[in-house]
Amino acid sequence: MNEPRLRGNTFIALLLRTGVQELSEKPEWGEHNNGITRPNLFADLLRMTQPAYNPPKMKSLSSYFSRYLKGELPSSPMYFAFNTPAYQKGLSMRIHDEYPAVLAEMDRFYRKYLRTSDVDRRMLVGGLVDAILADSTFEGTFDIGEKWVDKTDLAHEHQFILQPFLVSVWNIILLNHPDASEGADTYMEWTDEIADNKPRETTTEIGTERAKKIAVDDRLPEEAMPNTAEEIAEAEEVHDEPRVDIYEASYTDPQTHKQVLAQFHVEAKDNGIAIGQVFGGLVIGKRGGKDE
């Protein structure tokens, strides 16, 4: 057996090993499977590096995808231009600029296409870790959840969060190993032809022993979650706090019977009542200085 090569096609092979039942069917049956097909899985991976990706014809993508897996078509100008900087660096730029959004996309990908049992998660991560360690050409830093680790430390890690780990592996493949032809032999070794007119099935046992020794969570770290709700809550909290500003409220001096103005106040956060200070006294009234 040759040294394994972790490339786009072999990465997908390990994803498919834990894929939902619909992915084992004929690709063109996708219209009856809520869009859960191998070509659609591929398209959603591509959208992580090119969010506006929209294949001209899904039928063509389906036929090209089978050749991509075999390493016969590592790139396509119209369908998956992995030989261009835009495809190679797009995900890396998004990780830098909008990492929570990328993790949310991977979370949706995982829950749509992959089985979500604890065993399946451990098999997927175990297989990827073993493939990374066995591939002498594959280097990088990996987000295992809560921290990033180098390849040299990966073998000693036992706690993983699935989604960030998948994102970091896919990103290294795009950046440094976009040529799927380099994984052609590994793909054929890891898969078997099960039946006529059906996709090849991933049968490799890589990662099985490691899967027994690791824990893999699928709950995203709180700081990695999309922060829209947080921002709204923070804005509401700020707006809910009392604030100090200039306020003019009419006040009749009990000694001179002349009207004067309070110049400072604290505006209450609950019912809009304002308190102003005038010559050591207090005035309580509605905001705006007029009776309402």
Side-chain angles (χ1 to χ4, degrees):
M1 178 183 289
N2 297 320
E3 181 179 289
R5 289 286 181 262
L6 185 56
R7 301 295 185 263
N9 49 350
T10 50
F11 175 73
I12 291 172
L14 291 178
L15 293 178
L16 291 173
R17 187 172 67 170
T18 58
V20 295
Q21 179 62 36
E22 291 90 336
L23 293 175
S24 65
E25 307 297 343
K26 280 186 76 175
E28 52 265 36
W29 292 353
E31 58 197 51
H32 306 299
N33 288 346
N34 297 317
I36 302 176
T37 67
R38 295 182 174 211
N40 283 345
L41 174 150
F42 189 41
D44 280 343
L45 279 176
L46 290 169
R47 290 185 182 103
M48 291 182 196
T49 195
Q50 288 292 298
Y53 175 74
N54 186 26
K57 295 181 181 179
M58 284 305 297
K59 188 172 183 180
S60 296
L61 178 63
S62 177
S63 114
Y64 291 170
F65 176 57
S66 62
R67 295 178 61 196
Y68 172 78
L69 288 179
K70 294 176 183 177
E72 298 171 356
L73 190 66
S75 64
S76 163
M78 296 250 332
Y79 286 89
F80 40 94
F82 288 133
N83 57 337
T84 65
Y87 276 77
Q88 292 173 8
K89 301 181 185 297
L91 180 55
S92 177
M93 294 173 65
R94 295 191 67 212
I95 289 172
H96 181 271
D97 295 338
E98 48 179 329
Y99 197 28
V102 173
L103 291 179
E105 288 173 29
M106 182 58 82
D107 184 63
R108 291 191 294 271
F109 176 92
Y110 155 64
R111 297 183 189 283
K112 179 177 181 179
Y113 293 109
L114 308 182
R115 299 192 298 271
T116 58
S117 74
D118 177 62
V119 170
D120 286 306
R121 291 196 301 272
R122 287 189 284 140
M123 282 293 294
L124 177 53
V125 171
L128 287 170
V129 171
D130 277 2
I132 291 166
L133 296 175
D135 185 348
S136 61
T137 68
F138 202 92
E139 301 289 341
T141 305
F142 306 89
D143 185 353
I144 65 170
E146 310 290 356
K147 65 178 180 178
W148 291 74
V149 299
D150 291 327
K151 176 178 176 175
T152 51
D153 299 318
L154 197 58
H156 309 296
E157 296 295 336
H158 299 282
Q159 300 284 337
F160 294 81
I161 297 179
L162 179 66
Q163 298 91 326
F165 184 62
L166 292 179
V167 168
S168 59
V169 174
W170 181 228
N171 183 48
I172 291 171
I173 290 170
L174 292 171
L175 279 174
N176 302 327
H177 304 287
D179 187 353
S181 68
E182 296 173 358
D185 291 341
T186 303
Y187 177 77
M188 297 306 290
E189 289 173 0
W190 283 4
T191 61
D192 284 325
E193 187 101 30
I194 302 302
D196 291 341
N197 296 321
K198 294 198 74 170
R200 293 180 67 87
E201 183 175 312
T202 308
T203 54
T204 178
E205 295 187 3
I206 190 170
T208 303
E209 291 303 311
R210 184 175 301 276
K212 300 174 184 177
K213 305 170 187 176
I214 61 176
V216 181
D217 203 342
D218 62 0
R219 292 171 295 180
L220 290 174
E222 288 186 9
E223 62 270 21
M225 294 296 288
N227 58 4
T228 304
E230 285 184 10
E231 290 173 348
I232 292 172
E234 288 173 3
E236 290 176 348
E237 183 178 350
V238 169
H239 293 159
D240 201 33
E241 289 293 326
R243 68 180 188 270
V244 178
D245 56 15
I246 295 175
Y247 173 77
E248 295 183 345
S250 62
Y251 167 69
T252 302
D253 189 308
Q255 294 180 352
T256 65
H257 302 290
K258 292 182 178 180
Q259 284 195 339
V260 293
L261 296 177
Q263 295 297 325
F264 301 94
H265 87 291
V266 176
E267 188 173 297
K269 65 180 180 179
D270 47 6
N271 56 8
I273 297 300
I275 301 177
Q277 184 172 4
V278 184
F279 305 123
L282 292 176
V283 175
I284 300 176
K286 292 277 188 181
R287 286 187 297 219
K290 296 180 181 179
D291 292 335
E292 296 177 359

